[in-house]
Amino acid sequence: MSDRSMMTAETVGSAARFDPQLRIPLRPRLRRGLVVAVEADQVVVTGPPKKQLFRGRSATEMLPALLALLDGERTHDRLAAELALPEEVVFKALSLLWTCGVVEEGPPPEPERAAVADLDDRLADYLSRVGSATEVNPSWEEAATRLRTAGIEVFGDPGLAALLREELTGSVEITEGTGGTPSERTTLAVWADTGTDTDSAGRDVLAAHCWDKGVPMLRLSVRGRRAALGPLVDPRTTPCLDCLTADDEDDDRTAGPGDHALAAALFARDLFAAVSRTTPTPLPMRWRVVDLETLGQRDTASATRPGCPRCSVADGPVVDRAAPATRFEASVAMPPKEFADLKAHQMHYKPSNLALQRVSRTWPVAPAVALPPPGHARLDRSAPPRETAAPGPDVLSLLLSVTAGIRADHADKVSRWTASGGNIGSVTAYAVVRDVPGISPGVYGYVASGHRLARLSSRADALPGDRPFSMVLTGDFPKVARKYSAFALRIVLLDSGCAQATTREAAHTLGVGFALRPRWDDEALAAALGINPDMEPVTAVIDLGDPA
């Protein structure tokens, strides 16, 4: 493993002391179904979602003895006493083992333990072994209880429903729906849909009943050779079925032999994941659409259509589709707290993600222009107000500093003046200088890591204006996407909003004119800055100082 991929006990252990989402087991035990091999220079654990290698003297000398004591009964202090080690050292080691999927919480109290005592050993091993894929369940018994207490009833196409029940036999009980509406004990209704007129009528009846009664409903749809493994409809958190399926696509191909069985198997996997919470699934906010011929797949989502009589608060006729911006927001929306994935949160402490906070634009071949040290004391609102004056290099330096600059660079964390999603620092600031004494007119990039300017061009007219200088904010989308994927655009825009608010408050405190431009020419501005707007979108243009 490279240094960027390795998580250390020191890093995870320190984070676990203050981060409530890192739930280190109080009475840890080795997960079921793992194989531990102690070699000369490393300890190898096979069986978790990812093979784990623990290297170094601490691993080979301490881990074997520690792993042998993890019975789900011993607490941290008892483990430390038996190993003759400081409890802090044991805690950090357990933190790393938990993050790597090697340990889980000890068994629950006897009543909960007895309720799943007869669970098939193979299923118990699986729930324990892969449970670290989400870290939702502290122990495998909790995942088993979720499966045991689920009341799943399947309606719709009999053949598709039978295939689904067969796939899940032995792991979760599924009953055949009768009468068109779910029973009182049903916690999840499933609709198996093959697209016939009869299917559509039954689906509408079931969807209306589930919506009115607050029963979640999950759809499996097979049209031609395309399978939609969702959506999940829940009136507490999602739009109605009609809105979610407004973007459904037809498929004029004829289903091939085995297509329905394949669709049922794929759907069973996502249903099992959604109920047990042991493995990731796009549900409930998104769902998978799979081409059964090529096995190509994509996640999809949709949003409430304005005017929908069931889930919209807007009056007027029903719009065919929600606006693109609304659909984008739905596609990257955070799931409800009950569907939060703790494993994803651990990625904050992955070395490669921590390293992103120190990545920024530097323009190494551009001429460097020094800025005076930023006088942050001038932003103290308790001090006597200063007379408004034409902004000079000191004002430009201070505004760039608090908008996109670094407050302090510690060994474990970069501190910023402005809030930043994931502390990545997606905002890149540019200055278009027209009339700032001591700084030649032109276009400059702000080098946050060195608090200086990089002169990009002398064309101050690239952004027409009559203020002494303008600040252009862009978002480093590729950097944020390395950690947050499609969610990165939302973070880029949120970060820009925070930066704009900081600039506004600082400018008002300094008595400097502030004006946000409502529109600009993206292509012309991108050419002036030398950026690709698809990778580094312009998110704000701010004019500063009073008009000439």
Side-chain angles (χ1 to χ4, degrees):
M1 293 184 293
S2 69
D3 290 340
R4 283 182 173 268
S5 65
M6 291 191 296
M7 299 182 74
T8 66
E10 185 70 31
T11 299
V12 180
S14 299
R17 289 296 188 192
F18 66 84
D19 192 332
Q21 295 194 70
L22 298 182
R23 303 185 310 199
I24 311 306
L26 300 177
R27 289 179 168 79
R29 59 177 167 171
L30 197 65
R31 289 184 179 274
R32 298 176 57 145
L34 303 187
V35 177
V36 180
V38 180
E39 301 176 359
D41 59 346
Q42 64 184 2
V43 175
V44 183
V45 181
T46 307
K50 292 183 179 179
K51 181 180 180 180
Q52 301 295 336
L53 307 179
F54 300 94
R55 296 188 174 119
R57 190 176 66 181
S58 295
T60 55
E61 292 182 359
M62 182 183 71
L63 277 190
L66 175 60
L67 293 173
L69 296 177
L70 300 182
D71 57 1
E73 299 296 334
R74 292 176 170 90
T75 56
H76 298 183
D77 56 348
R78 184 177 168 188
L79 289 167
E82 295 189 28
L83 292 169
L85 292 171
E87 187 176 341
E88 181 69 16
V89 172
V90 172
F91 177 80
K92 289 179 179 179
L94 291 172
S95 299
L96 180 62
L97 290 172
W98 177 76
T99 302
C100 294
V102 178
V103 299
E104 65 182 341
E105 187 59 80
E110 186 55 40
E112 290 87 343
R113 193 187 318 184
V116 294
D118 61 339
L119 194 74
D120 184 273
D121 282 341
R122 292 171 299 175
L123 178 56
D125 286 349
Y126 177 80
L127 294 176
S128 179
R129 182 174 60 81
V130 305
S132 67
T134 63
E135 291 291 8
V136 170
N137 302 297
S139 65
W140 69 264
E141 289 92 343
E142 183 168 322
T145 299
R146 291 178 185 270
L147 293 171
R148 281 284 173 88
T149 57
I152 303 175
E153 200 169 359
V154 60
F155 299 82
D157 183 80
L160 204 53
L163 290 169
L164 181 60
R165 292 198 306 274
E166 182 180 350
E167 284 289 336
L168 291 168
T169 298
S171 58
V172 59
E173 182 181 353
I174 294 187
T175 59
E176 181 179 357
T178 58
T181 57
S183 65
E184 290 296 325
R185 70 170 300 273
T186 299
T187 59
L188 176 65
V190 175
W191 179 257
D193 182 357
T194 55
T196 66
D197 292 339
T198 304
D199 282 349
S200 299
R203 184 199 73 166
D204 292 343
V205 171
L206 180 65
H209 178 88
C210 289
W211 185 270
D212 293 340
K213 299 297 183 181
V215 178
M217 173 182 167
L218 183 58
R219 180 197 67 163
L220 165 61
S221 172
V222 182
R223 306 288 177 87
R225 305 205 69 181
R226 181 181 288 114
L229 315 181
L232 176 68
V233 182
D234 188 337
R236 298 172 300 171
T237 55
T238 75
C240 69
L241 182 63
D242 287 340
C243 287
L244 289 174
T245 58
D247 298 329
D248 274 0
E249 300 173 359
D250 291 328
D251 190 300
D252 56 6
R253 293 173 294 177
T254 302
D259 275 359
H260 283 197
L262 175 58
L266 294 170
F267 183 74
R269 184 267 171 206
D270 281 3
L271 191 153
F272 181 92
V275 173
S276 69
R277 303 300 313 284
T278 50
T279 52
T281 172
L283 299 169
M285 310 308 291
R286 293 171 289 281
W287 63 95
R288 292 193 293 159
V289 176
V290 182
D291 188 304
L292 299 173
E293 180 179 11
T294 65
L295 291 185
Q297 60 179 289
R298 59 181 171 85
D299 284 2
T300 189
S302 196
T304 292
R305 300 166 299 162
C308 174
R310 182 164 288 149
C311 64
S312 173
V313 296
D315 294 327
V318 181
V319 175
D320 289 341
R321 298 180 70 194
T326 306
R327 298 203 304 276
F328 166 75
E329 286 295 313
S331 72
V332 298
M334 299 293 288
K337 185 177 180 179
E338 63 186 282
F339 281 91
D341 184 344
L342 298 187
K343 192 66 175 184
H345 178 73
Q346 292 177 21
M347 293 300 101
H348 284 296
Y349 303 103
K350 188 177 180 181
S352 59
N353 287 335
L354 290 174
L356 292 175
Q357 62 186 322
R358 291 186 170 83
V359 176
S360 63
R361 298 288 302 274
T362 59
W363 302 275
V365 299
V369 177
L371 286 170
H376 297 112
R378 296 178 63 183
L379 299 178
D380 182 359
R381 291 182 174 177
S382 64
R386 297 172 177 266
E387 292 185 5
T388 303
D394 57 334
V395 170
L396 176 60
S397 171
L398 180 54
L399 291 178
L400 286 171
S401 171
V402 297
T403 300
I406 294 173
R407 186 171 187 172
D409 191 347
H410 305 290
D412 58 342
K413 183 180 180 181
V414 172
S415 297
R416 307 180 187 280
W417 290 100
T418 299
S420 171
N423 198 38
I424 293 178
S426 69
V427 175
T428 301
Y430 297 82
V432 179
V433 176
R434 303 182 188 89
D435 184 16
V436 176
I439 299 181
S440 301
V443 178
Y444 297 84
Y446 174 58
V447 182
S449 57
H451 188 65
R452 65 178 184 272
L453 295 176
R455 185 172 173 82
L456 305 181
S457 80
S458 59
R459 289 199 54 204
D461 60 347
L463 178 65
D466 59 357
R467 304 291 182 108
F469 69 93
S470 298
M471 190 183 299
V472 179
L473 304 183
T474 67
D476 192 338
F477 177 79
K479 179 173 69 167
V480 184
R482 284 162 62 182
K483 178 178 179 181
Y484 289 106
S485 301
F487 191 65
L489 180 59
R490 175 183 268 194
I491 291 179
V492 163
L493 298 177
L494 289 172
D495 284 357
S496 179
C498 291
Q500 294 170 47
T502 299
T503 308
R504 180 191 63 219
E505 293 303 308
H508 288 176
T509 301
L510 296 171
V512 173
F514 172 96
L516 271 173
R517 292 200 187 186
R519 58 181 62 86
W520 56 83
D521 185 331
D522 265 319
E523 293 185 0
L525 196 49
L529 302 179
I531 63 174
N532 177 352
D534 290 335
M535 295 291 101
E536 188 179 344
V538 177
T539 58
V541 178
I542 307 170
D543 295 318
L544 294 149
D546 293 328

